[in-house]
Amino acid sequence: MNFYIKLIIKILEKSMTGQDSEILYKLKKGIDLNSQDKKELEEIKENIELEYFLNKKAMETANVDDMEVLQVYQNNIDKLKDADITAVLPQLKDQMLFQRREEEKVKYMNSLVEKYKLNDELKKYFPESENKEETAEEVKSAEENETEEIKK
């Protein structure tokens, strides 16, 4: 198996986008990809690149300091009383950082929607139906409410 195929397999295994794909299965088994498979592999590659960019962009602003972690721990001490604090605090910080990163990704995507007026462009091609669809602001506020509930 050549180097590039091994590299593609490793990348697909590590990515959320490609780890369950039929493409990965075929590459591991040494089965040649047809034109549809190659097209799908290109889409997976684009999704991985997009996810990488969004994660990198979100990490520029997403951070969690130790005081925040301690505050969340203290607010939930009754639920965590049997847990080892040296194990819980790093896990808590990782989870909080992951959550912040996801929030930052959504904020960034929403800022692009607003900046380029993408909702207006979509309305040209897909006129509003009778059912009201969620706007970016409604999705954002719903996610903020979920975040507040988790912190409690």
Side-chain angles (χ1 to χ4, degrees):
M1 192 177 299
N2 81 32
F3 171 77
Y4 293 107
I5 292 176
K6 287 180 183 178
L7 181 61
I8 291 170
I9 289 171
K10 287 287 185 197
I11 291 169
L12 291 176
E13 287 174 337
K14 300 281 184 196
S15 76
M16 296 297 289
T17 306
Q19 64 186 197
D20 295 326
S21 72
E22 190 174 321
I23 305 297
L24 178 58
Y25 173 79
K26 286 182 176 182
L27 289 172
K28 283 182 169 181
K29 295 292 184 186
I31 300 171
D32 289 335
L33 301 180
N34 61 35
S35 61
Q36 181 63 31
D37 292 336
K38 290 177 182 177
K39 190 175 181 180
E40 185 180 334
L41 181 60
E42 188 61 32
E43 289 176 18
I44 290 171
K45 178 184 161 260
E46 289 173 7
N47 286 337
I48 290 170
E49 289 171 348
L50 178 61
E51 189 66 25
Y52 173 79
F53 171 77
L54 289 173
N55 282 332
K56 186 173 179 182
K57 191 75 174 164
M59 289 306 290
E60 291 173 3
T61 55
N63 60 15
V64 176
D65 64 38
D66 293 337
M67 292 305 294
E68 288 178 275
V69 176
L70 278 174
Q71 184 65 41
V72 170
Y73 177 79
Q74 289 172 347
N75 290 345
N76 294 287
I77 199 152
D78 55 319
K79 298 174 188 170
L80 302 169
K81 63 184 172 195
D82 296 332
D84 177 20
I85 190 169
T86 59
V88 169
L89 291 179
Q91 291 173 353
L92 192 55
K93 187 170 186 171
D94 287 346
Q95 184 60 38
M96 290 171 69
L97 187 58
F98 174 78
Q99 186 175 356
R100 288 269 166 82
R101 187 175 67 218
E102 294 302 308
E103 290 169 1
E104 290 299 319
K105 286 172 21 180
V106 170
K107 281 183 193 176
Y108 179 72
M109 288 186 288
N110 284 339
S111 73
L112 293 177
V113 167
E114 294 299 318
K115 181 178 180 178
Y116 296 107
K117 301 185 184 335
L118 296 178
N119 285 334
D120 295 338
E121 289 298 314
L122 284 174
K123 286 177 186 176
K124 290 178 187 176
Y125 299 100
F126 304 100
E128 287 187 274
S129 64
E130 293 179 26
N131 297 334
K132 182 184 172 201
E133 295 183 21
E134 289 183 325
T135 63
E137 291 79 25
E138 290 170 333
V139 171
K140 186 168 123 180
S141 70
E143 288 173 350
E144 288 171 353
N145 288 342
E146 285 179 25
T147 301
E148 290 301 316
E149 289 177 18
I150 291 171
K151 287 181 181 177
K152 292 178 185 176

